[in-house]
């Protein structure tokens, strides 16, 4: 695992943006795994700027988002469809046919847990998977538990995750209780994991990952220790230095 420590969020986002931009320039038909939340916003801003000012071409790029709330329409202000549209897709020349979310196969997921994963496989697999880290060590909506899902599946959100996401809603009661999320196996099959973490509230999860000695379902991000190509970018607050 390559660990890059940066001074603050802006530098973390720039370094991550350079990595993602470099992949697209090297491989114009790159397949990107995308995350939502506040952590990757700076990365997406970098990609938008690279497209608008430096001609970064998204025509042949394919994207797969990690997760989506259930029981929210796609047009809802807090849906992840809306998040991605407002922060990346509307500003670059990506084809709508190349954009994928796990809820599009929700009915199939209930019958066949490999539906979304099979779609990723048909696209050639994910070249670069962008990941944030939850305060409790979750990645995507893979929450700490005795067992973790391998394939994309329906999940129940923990109170801590709903509380963390409540800042995007009027109250925690409005936060959906369920989501559909890429599984740990889906995530670990990506060729390169790009993990971003900033802020003091991520320090404990980052510490458990940097410790490198324990792989546990109590902290799902530690499963990244099994992956052969991981880049972890953290700011000083998250790194504890």
């Amino acid at each position: 695992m390559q660990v890059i420590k940066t001074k603050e969020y802006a530098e973390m986002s720039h370094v991550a943006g350079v990595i993602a931009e470099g992949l697209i320039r090297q491989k114009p038909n790159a397949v990107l795994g995308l995350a939502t939340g506040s952590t990757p916003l700076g990365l997406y801003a970098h990609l938008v700027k690279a497209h608008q000012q430096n001609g970064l071409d998204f025509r042949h790029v394919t994207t797969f988002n990690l997760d989506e709330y259930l029981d929210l329409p796609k047009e809802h202000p807090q849906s992840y469809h809306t998040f991605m549209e407002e922060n990346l897709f509307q500003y670059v020349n990506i084809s709508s046919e190349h954009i994928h979310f796990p809820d599009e196969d929700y009915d199939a997921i209930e019958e066949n847990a490999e539906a979304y994963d099979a779609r990723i496989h048909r696209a050639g697999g994910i070249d670069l998977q962008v990941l944030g880290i939850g305060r409790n060590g979750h990645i995507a909506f893979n929450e700490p538990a005795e067992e973790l899902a391998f394939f994309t599946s329906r999940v129940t959100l923990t109170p801590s995750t709903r509380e963390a996401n409540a800042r995007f809603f009027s109250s925690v009661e409005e936060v959906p209780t369920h989501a559909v999320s890429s599984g740990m196996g889906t995530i670990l099959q990506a060729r390169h994991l790009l993990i971003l973490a900033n802020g003091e509230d991520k320090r404990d999860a980052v510490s458990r990952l940097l410790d490198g000695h324990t792989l546990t379902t109590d902290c799902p991000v530690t499963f990244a220790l099994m992956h052969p190509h991981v880049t972890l970018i953290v700011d000083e607050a998250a790194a504890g230095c």
Side-chain angles (χ1 to χ4, degrees), residues 108-145:
I109 286 170
E110 289 295 283
E111 300 170 1
N112 176 7
E114 301 181 45
Y116 197 54
D117 308 72
R119 188 180 292 255
I120 293 172
H121 179 75
R122 290 195 298 270
I126 292 174
D127 294 302
L128 179 70
Q129 177 64 64
V130 177
L131 296 167
I133 304 177
R135 291 183 296 184
N136 60 3
H138 78 256
I139 51 176
F141 278 130
N142 295 286
E143 303 278 4

Side-chain angles (χ1 to χ4, degrees), residues 141-209:
F141 278 130
N142 295 286
E143 303 278 4
E146 291 185 5
E147 297 179 346
L148 300 177
F150 188 89
F151 298 111
T152 300
S153 61
R154 182 179 185 272
V155 297
T156 300
L157 303 185
T158 64
S160 64
T161 292
R162 294 183 68 228
E163 180 182 345
N165 290 355
R167 67 188 187 276
F168 302 114
F169 294 80
S170 298
S171 67
V172 68
E173 288 76 20
E174 292 188 8
V175 181
T177 57
H178 294 84
V180 57
S181 175
S182 296
M184 292 302 302
T186 310
I187 292 168
L188 292 174
Q189 287 172 7
R191 284 180 273 277
H192 182 184
L193 303 183
L194 180 61
I195 304 176
L196 311 178
N198 66 289
E200 292 183 6
D201 61 340
K202 307 296 178 68
R203 186 176 298 175
D204 181 63
V206 169
S207 176
R208 296 180 71 176
L209 180 59

Side-chain angles (χ1 to χ4, degrees), residues 42-236:
L43 163 60
Y44 297 150
H46 178 102
L47 294 178
V48 169
K49 182 177 180 180
H51 168 70
Q52 296 180 344
Q53 298 185 10
N54 299 307
L56 185 64
D57 190 1
F58 285 79
R59 284 179 300 170
H60 304 295
V61 170
T62 298
T63 66
F64 288 89
N65 262 73
L66 282 168
D67 42 28
E68 177 59 288
Y69 289 121
L70 294 179
D71 303 322
L72 282 186
K74 295 178 181 180
E75 299 77 18
H76 190 281
Q78 300 306 329
S79 78
Y80 291 161
H81 287 77
T82 298
F83 177 96
M84 293 305 308
E85 183 67 21
E86 291 182 344
N87 292 291
L88 179 62
F89 295 152
Q90 68 173 318
Y91 300 112
V92 299
N93 63 331
I94 189 169
S95 169
S96 60
E97 296 179 354
H98 294 170
I99 296 170
H100 304 286
F101 288 83
D103 65 328
E104 67 195 61
D105 283 327
Y106 178 66
D107 291 338
I109 286 170
E110 289 295 283
E111 300 170 1
N112 176 7
E114 301 181 45
Y116 197 54
D117 308 72
R119 188 180 292 255
I120 293 172
H121 179 75
R122 290 195 298 270
I126 292 174
D127 294 302
L128 179 70
Q129 177 64 64
V130 177
L131 296 167
I133 304 177
R135 291 183 296 184
N136 60 3
H138 78 256
I139 51 176
F141 278 130
N142 295 286
E143 303 278 4
E146 291 185 5
E147 297 179 346
L148 300 177
F150 188 89
F151 298 111
T152 300
S153 61
R154 182 179 185 272
V155 297
T156 300
L157 303 185
T158 64
S160 64
T161 292
R162 294 183 68 228
E163 180 182 345
N165 290 355
R167 67 188 187 276
F168 302 114
F169 294 80
S170 298
S171 67
V172 68
E173 288 76 20
E174 292 188 8
V175 181
T177 57
H178 294 84
V180 57
S181 175
S182 296
M184 292 302 302
T186 310
I187 292 168
L188 292 174
Q189 287 172 7
R191 284 180 273 277
H192 182 184
L193 303 183
L194 180 61
I195 304 176
L196 311 178
N198 66 289
E200 292 183 6
D201 61 340
K202 307 296 178 68
R203 186 176 298 175
D204 181 63
V206 169
S207 176
R208 296 180 71 176
L209 180 59
L210 290 177
D211 175 65
H213 295 110
T214 304
L215 187 130
T216 173
T217 61
D218 287 337
C219 186
V221 73
T222 59
F223 275 70
L225 296 169
M226 297 192 303
H227 198 280
H229 189 189
V230 179
T231 302
L232 172 66
I233 310 177
V234 295
D235 70 357
E236 289 183 351

